[in-house]
Amino acid sequence: MLAGKHFPYTDIHKWLSYGNDGKHPGCDEFYFGRREFSFTLENDAYLRYRSFKNASAMENDIKEKSPYKIDIGAVYSVDPDKRHAYAQSGTNVFAPVERELVFDIDISDYDDVRYCCSGADVCSKCWPLMTVAIKVIDTSLREDFGFKHILWVFSGRRGVHCWVCDAKARSLTNEQRSAVAEYFRVYKGNENNARKVALMGFSLHPFLARSYVDFLKDFFEGELQATQSIFSSKEKYEKILDMISDEDIQSELREKWENSAKPSLSEEATSLKRWEQLKNTLQSKKQKAPALRMCVEEIVFTFTYPRIDLEVSKQMNHLLKAPFCVHPKTGRVCVPIDPNNCDEFDPLAVPTLSQLIEEINSGGVRMEVDDGDDLDKTLLGKSIKFFRSSFLEPLLKSCKEDIESSYKTKIEKSKDSFSW
Amino acid sequence: MEVLRSQKRTVSNEVVSIPLYLTAPSMEVRLEEFELFAIDRLRVLQGVSDGLARGKNPKEMDDLVDRLWKEHMRHSDVLEMMNKDIISHFVLRLVYCRSDELKKWFLSNETALFRHRFRIKSFEVQRTIAAEFGLSNKVATGAEVESLKEKLGQVIRSMGEKSPNVETIYFKVPFEEVPDLVSGRRVFIQKGYAFVAGSQASLGFHFISKHNFSSVNSSVSLKWTTTIREREKDRLTPIVEALSTSYLGPDYSQSSEYADISLKDIDQVSKSSFPLCMRHLFEKLREDHHLKHGGRMQLGLFLKGVGLKLDDALAFWRAEFTKKVGGERFDKEYAYAIRHNYGKEGKRTDYTPYACQKIISSAPGVGDHHGCPYRHFRICYPSSNTANLIFLLDKQQLLATANILSIRYSFSL
Ligand SMILES: [Zn+2]
């Protein structure tokens, strides 16, 4: 199993230690050891609550067990591996105490608004739905919530994961996590219309307004129309007419569209024309029916707003696949995505395990990813370099500053108590 | 002590701060004041509760609270008014700590009262109050609020207010301190800080419910049951117990100045005078010839309350249910409950109509038609039933024509 060879143990260890590397007197050297890892083995056996003292213990265990999937869980009050021993002594309660704030978005949740693929499949036509999701959520996490250390990762097949790693994010309670998750929710209703967006009120909340103006509207009218032509056929536009809660307008538009098959127009052009007609019609009727006030926005949100699996974000102890794993079905590596250049990310160009094997066999490129200068030469090099320079280094810098300042405060305090 | 603190104030009523109600006053209170003050405050709280139940918007609630306060609590002497405020609050605490339901009612209306009293104060007074809560360092600067005015207004409009006034005072707190406001997108958030409008009641709510109310409350409650109740058997106990069951509106159970409702004009009256929830139930019953239990209770007791006699009630329900389940099954399964409501079966309790509070806090499920339209139609079924509510309101011509009957159906505790 080669997965064990390319996994960047040292980088993952550095990340999940958050500066607690044993070098500073103020750091918690057992911090990494209280982190839960879980493995899925090839025979589908599932090993939970594994924990490791250091990077090499993690490396040895992974190489020995050859898991095809590695999940990262929470940091617990005690070493998860020894939780039973603690339970017997009865002194420490085994409970999660820290956890990155995570988000999970899957393209398979978009099946009713994409016509190129379905299920776990994804192509260059529907991937932009993920891209716009990254932009909306990343912007809000930074601008609204003030987070800085955010890692976006390709999940290997059909979606993206997001890890918010700021100290404040890691220490949120479940209630606070739920609050953030719910801040992002726009879908209302039950199972049957789980995708129905209901926008109430006389205005969009500033977060939704920004998402709409900066990302969603242009994406809807541009890329989405170009790739999915969402009004081009009766089957497609009926879904949209359904979202207009006024039967007169529905039939007025339906009549227009049913008799307007112009073969001279491309699918995209037809689709765009119908969208303009819909907007104009709604605009002119707005005054009469308050229920239609937000109808245009509701349609845009329904098609383009991020469909986050909110439950994943709400619980501290939810597991999420580690970056740089290899997806068992596609063989693709879960590489980081740069949110500032996410338009350029192509899920189909992500290196696969077999490409990595070939690379080693043919060129004898050494897969020791820690071997700094050789990095760019490997297929994964660019990803690892990005992980280090854009995520890990700034993160560790601020972690060290935090450790230093809280250590100083502690020293000051103890000085005060001596002088008494 | 809090009561003394107010002695320094010689300013006019409008500028008076709102007390924190942190400690019970240790002062002599005349027995008649004890009761009169409490009744006056209770009238204010009932007015607040009624206003909320009628779905008044925040601005209308401001006006209502202002009016109610002036009517029942104002005193020409500022010190007297402050004392009345504090004493009446603590007397009612004593009265309402005796059951969870009473406590809940008191807490929610005190919180609303605080919120709206706070809202109508000037920025200076709001600042003073914030300082008294130890929140000065969390008040956003005027310049900050000014520069965010547009966004803050957007938030208020997104919550359904058409033309909002951005409030004068905003608190700037880390978003994780107000998870309930974050999750509903009821605040503007920027760089990790939530901008909480002064009236969004973290303040009012914090102060009453979280910090001291529940703790003081339980100790008051304990003290009451263990010591005071026995010691004050002849003096305070009767007053306290009467207060918590008192009903300050007109007494309809005895009333004969209004004609009782009769079967032949019930349809007409339902259209012209029933409150929206009852009218909805009434129409559903006529339509489906059936109502589930919650609906039967809510409508049945209401009809009883507006004077429908037992015989007429039986005839009325029977006529509808027969069409659906047959007369025999009606007599066997439903008639008993109706007689029971009229105190003719079982414990023979004379049941009173549900108060709005109870109707609002009910939880109608699928196929149920009871509950409060202003609450349940909007919240439980957002997409379809807003339209439904608008439709209902339209038909009702917006309660503007509400006459005697719906006014009669006011509050009982
Ligand atoms: Zn596709």
Side-chain angles (χ1 to χ4, degrees):
Chain A
M1 176 94 187
L2 207 120
K5 275 199 182 161
H6 74 265
F7 196 68
Y9 299 100
T10 315
D11 291 284
I12 297 288
H13 174 259
K14 270 189 193 160
W15 164 30
L16 296 177
S17 296
Y18 291 104
N20 292 293
D21 54 7
K23 285 180 199 143
H24 193 283
C27 75
D28 172 4
E29 57 182 311
F30 303 108
Y31 183 86
F32 180 79
R34 298 203 307 272
R35 170 77 69 165
E36 175 189 2
F37 290 83
S38 79
F39 296 167
T40 311
L41 305 186
E42 232 151 348
N43 59 5
D44 269 340
Y46 192 47
L47 310 177
R48 271 204 76 170
Y49 297 122
R50 306 200 72 73
S51 59
F52 312 107
K53 256 198 339 267
N54 51 37
S56 59
M58 172 170 69
E59 178 166 359
N60 291 339
D61 198 43
I62 290 175
K63 283 185 171 158
E64 185 199 323
K65 302 275 186 330
S66 295
Y68 76 72
K69 184 165 164 249
I70 302 169
D71 285 311
I72 300 177
V75 177
Y76 283 83
S77 50
V78 296
D79 185 340
D81 211 20
K82 304 196 181 80
R83 66 192 183 285
H84 297 302
Y86 283 108
Q88 269 157 16
S89 75
T91 46
N92 266 309
V93 184
F94 179 68
V97 292
E98 258 192 40
R99 164 61 160 167
E100 292 77 11
L101 174 63
V102 295
F103 296 93
D104 180 9
I105 313 174
D106 276 348
I107 193 78
S108 48
D109 285 330
Y110 288 73
D111 279 0
D112 60 322
V113 294
R114 58 182 185 147
Y115 299 102
C116 47
C117 314
S118 67
D121 292 336
V122 58
C123 71
S124 57
K125 283 185 169 180
C126 50
W127 183 259
L129 286 161
M130 286 291 116
T131 309
V132 81
I134 293 175
K135 291 177 187 171
V136 167
I137 303 302
D138 190 73
T139 306
S140 176
L141 288 171
R142 289 173 204 273
E143 296 302 317
D144 302 349
F145 292 98
F147 294 128
K148 294 193 183 76
H149 304 292
I150 302 169
L151 177 67
W152 287 92
V153 183
F154 175 49
S155 72
R157 187 177 192 186
R158 55 181 186 172
V160 292
H161 295 159
C162 173
W163 301 75
V164 186
C165 303
D166 297 57
K168 185 175 179 178
R170 282 181 277 134
S171 58
L172 294 175
T173 63
N174 283 342
E175 187 197 10
Q176 291 162 339
R177 280 161 211 268
S178 294
V180 178
E182 289 297 324
Y183 181 80
F184 290 128
R185 180 200 291 280
V186 298
Y187 300 103
K188 301 270 175 186
N190 51 27
E191 292 285 306
N192 300 326
N193 64 352
R195 295 302 167 214
K196 175 100 177 99
V197 174
L199 301 170
M200 304 295 196
F202 293 89
S203 163
L204 291 172
H205 181 278
F207 154 62
L208 296 180
R210 180 191 54 217
S211 304
Y212 182 75
V213 172
D214 289 358
F215 306 115
L216 303 180
K217 186 167 177 289
D218 289 349
F219 173 71
F220 182 93
E221 299 189 332
E223 212 164 349
L224 190 76
Q225 285 282 20
T227 56
Q228 309 289 344
S229 301
I230 54 174
F231 287 86
S232 63
S233 71
K234 183 166 173 63
E235 183 202 355
K236 289 179 179 180
Y237 67 61
E238 281 297 339
K239 273 198 256 179
I240 299 166
L241 289 178
D242 249 8
M243 297 179 205
I244 304 172
S245 56
D246 182 308
E247 286 184 18
D248 293 341
I249 298 180
Q250 279 185 13
S251 49
E252 184 184 328
L253 288 168
R254 188 178 292 117
E255 214 162 286
K256 258 189 206 150
W257 296 347
E258 270 171 355
N259 310 314
S260 73
K262 278 214 193 81
S264 58
L265 279 181
S266 71
E267 271 195 30
E268 185 189 346
T270 310
S271 194
L272 275 170
K273 196 175 140 219
R274 289 175 177 169
W275 171 239
E276 290 303 320
Q277 286 171 334
L278 181 146
K279 276 197 295 188
N280 291 335
T281 311
L282 282 176
Q283 186 62 38
S284 63
K285 304 271 160 83
K286 232 178 197 171
Q287 257 60 41
K288 273 181 249 159
L292 299 174
R293 202 186 310 120
M294 294 277 196
C295 195
V296 168
E297 286 86 350
E298 281 175 1
I299 293 171
V300 172
F301 273 86
T302 300
F303 275 83
T304 61
Y305 186 82
R307 298 180 170 188
I308 307 171
D309 181 351
L310 294 177
E311 295 313 308
V312 174
S313 310
K314 290 182 178 178
Q315 296 292 327
M316 258 193 177
N317 55 3
H318 216 102
L319 295 157
L320 197 66
K321 185 159 50 168
F324 296 106
C325 276
V326 173
H327 192 284
K329 297 252 165 47
T330 61
R332 295 194 193 281
V333 182
C334 302
V335 293
I337 299 172
D338 178 359
N340 296 320
N341 296 295
C342 53
D343 285 311
E344 287 150 34
F345 181 82
D346 177 0
L348 305 175
V350 170
T352 63
L353 184 59
S354 50
Q355 285 169 330
L356 294 177
I357 298 173
E358 197 180 316
E359 182 180 57
I360 290 175
N361 292 343
S362 63
V365 179
R366 288 164 56 212
M367 283 306 297
E368 300 295 319
V369 282
D370 293 323
D371 214 356
D373 292 334
D374 282 348
L375 263 180
D376 278 341
K377 294 172 198 150
T378 77
L379 282 167
L380 272 187
K382 216 178 126 206
S383 295
I384 298 215
K385 208 173 177 190
F386 169 78
F387 179 80
R388 286 180 187 166
S389 63
S390 296
F391 170 69
L392 194 55
E393 281 162 19
L395 171 70
L396 295 184
K397 186 165 171 279
S398 87
C399 287
K400 297 241 156 112
E401 284 165 6
D402 287 350
I403 290 173
E404 176 67 28
S405 76
S406 70
Y407 182 68
K408 264 192 187 149
T409 331
K410 223 194 262 171
I411 297 287
E412 290 301 314
K413 266 197 191 146
S414 63
K415 267 188 199 154
D416 283 353
S417 60
F418 285 140
S419 66
W420 276 89
Chain B
M1 200 208 49
E2 207 176 9
V3 175
L4 291 179
R5 182 196 55 141
S6 57
Q7 274 176 339
K8 279 181 246 122
R9 297 172 194 259
T10 47
V11 277
S12 76
N13 266 324
E14 279 64 30
V15 206
V16 171
S17 182
I18 308 173
L20 312 187
Y21 313 112
L22 290 180
T23 47
S26 53
M27 61 193 297
E28 302 255 319
V29 183
R30 287 192 302 275
L31 200 57
E32 63 271 26
E33 281 186 344
F34 183 92
E35 187 173 7
L36 286 176
F37 286 4
I39 287 179
D40 279 344
R41 193 182 194 90
L42 199 49
R43 286 183 203 279
V44 174
L45 292 179
Q46 280 194 322
V48 169
S49 166
D50 183 53
L52 291 172
R54 281 163 200 273
K56 287 196 187 300
N57 70 32
K59 185 75 195 54
E60 292 166 338
M61 283 303 293
D62 288 349
D63 298 343
L64 177 69
V65 162
D66 195 31
R67 210 179 61 235
L68 287 166
W69 194 262
K70 280 180 179 145
E71 194 176 329
H72 301 292
M73 299 296 286
R74 187 135 90 157
H75 196 286
S76 53
D77 183 306
V78 174
L79 181 59
E80 285 288 318
M81 186 170 85
M82 284 294 270
N83 283 346
K84 181 174 178 181
D85 187 356
I86 294 167
I87 291 165
S88 62
H89 173 86
F90 277 97
V91 173
L92 289 184
R93 251 194 208 189
L94 195 62
V95 170
Y96 281 82
C97 66
R98 297 177 319 129
S99 86
D100 280 347
E101 205 175 328
L102 290 171
K103 202 189 292 182
K104 216 170 120 194
W105 185 90
F106 177 68
L107 187 61
S108 74
N109 290 302
E110 273 285 341
T111 308
L113 173 64
F114 184 92
R115 183 187 308 144
H116 293 286
R117 284 179 72 195
F118 184 82
R119 264 170 68 103
I120 52 187
K121 298 287 179 194
S122 70
F123 179 68
E124 291 318 311
V125 177
Q126 290 183 342
R127 239 196 138 81
T128 312
I129 297 170
E132 286 174 340
F133 282 116
L135 295 171
S136 315
N137 57 339
K138 295 191 167 177
V139 176
T141 66
E144 221 167 353
V145 173
E146 191 56 38
S147 72
L148 296 173
K149 214 165 181 167
E150 195 196 332
K151 310 263 188 213
L152 298 172
Q154 249 179 347
V155 173
I156 304 172
R157 282 202 306 282
S158 76
M159 294 187 289
E161 266 200 75
K162 203 164 184 176
S163 41
N165 302 320
V166 170
E167 295 187 18
T168 45
I169 199 162
Y170 272 84
F171 296 95
K172 185 181 175 185
V173 298
F175 75 85
E176 65 272 22
E177 288 181 13
V178 286
D180 51 330
L181 298 177
V182 171
S183 71
R185 280 195 299 269
R186 283 181 288 154
V187 281
F188 174 63
I189 309 179
Q190 189 179 55
K191 292 287 178 195
Y193 288 92
F195 288 79
V196 181
S199 67
Q200 271 178 319
S202 296
L203 181 68
F205 192 73
H206 249 42
F207 103 98
I208 297 192
S209 70
K210 298 263 166 67
H211 287 251
N212 58 79
F213 184 77
S214 41
S215 56
V216 171
N217 202 22
S218 54
S219 68
V220 169
S221 163
L222 190 66
K223 221 168 155 189
W224 175 255
T225 45
T226 53
T227 58
I228 309 176
R229 188 186 179 139
E230 197 39 45
R231 206 177 59 212
E232 297 285 345
K233 200 164 63 200
D234 303 319
R235 249 165 31 117
L236 288 186
T237 304
I239 298 176
V240 166
E241 293 189 344
L243 273 173
S244 66
T245 52
S246 72
Y247 168 59
L248 300 179
D251 182 359
Y252 299 126
S253 59
Q254 316 296 325
S255 164
S256 57
E257 55 179 295
Y258 306 110
D260 285 333
I261 191 168
S262 75
L263 265 188
K264 75 173 166 14
D265 46 33
I266 195 167
D267 275 294
Q268 180 51 39
V269 171
S270 80
K271 283 197 184 68
S272 60
S273 314
F274 277 15
L276 194 55
C277 59
M278 299 304 174
R279 175 166 174 164
H280 181 62
L281 282 167
F282 188 86
E283 286 177 355
K284 281 291 163 195
L285 175 66
R286 286 288 199 226
E287 208 173 295
D288 301 338
H289 316 300
H290 188 268
L291 279 180
K292 289 190 165 190
H293 178 257
R296 293 201 301 272
M297 291 299 288
Q298 185 173 323
L299 180 61
L301 288 173
F302 170 75
L303 291 175
K304 179 190 169 196
V306 298
L308 192 69
K309 297 266 187 296
L310 174 60
D311 287 347
D312 285 349
L314 282 167
F316 167 74
W317 289 99
R318 193 171 199 282
E320 287 304 329
F321 272 64
T322 305
K323 293 177 194 161
K324 178 106 175 190
V325 301
E328 198 188 325
R329 215 177 127 201
F330 175 84
D331 293 339
K332 250 182 22 214
E333 290 178 32
Y334 299 94
Y336 175 91
I338 293 164
R339 286 196 300 274
H340 189 265
N341 281 350
Y342 278 77
K344 303 293 180 208
E345 298 280 5
K347 281 188 290 178
R348 310 207 171 242
T349 312
D350 200 1
Y351 291 95
T352 50
Y354 289 168
C356 283
Q357 188 59 33
K358 184 171 171 92
I359 293 171
I360 288 167
S361 56
S362 66
V366 178
D368 274 329
H369 298 296
H370 67 280
C372 176
Y374 299 103
R375 179 190 172 109
H376 297 109
F377 283 17
R378 225 177 323 209
I379 292 171
C380 301
Y381 329 99
S383 53
S384 61
N385 280 21
T386 314
N388 205 345
L389 176 61
I390 292 165
F391 174 64
L392 269 171
L393 283 171
D394 235 19
K395 280 207 306 199
Q396 180 93 345
Q397 293 182 335
L398 251 171
L399 302 174
T401 54
N403 67 8
I404 243 163
L405 274 169
S406 54
I407 296 164
R408 279 181 61 184
Y409 186 61
S410 110
F411 269 81
S412 58
L413 276 178

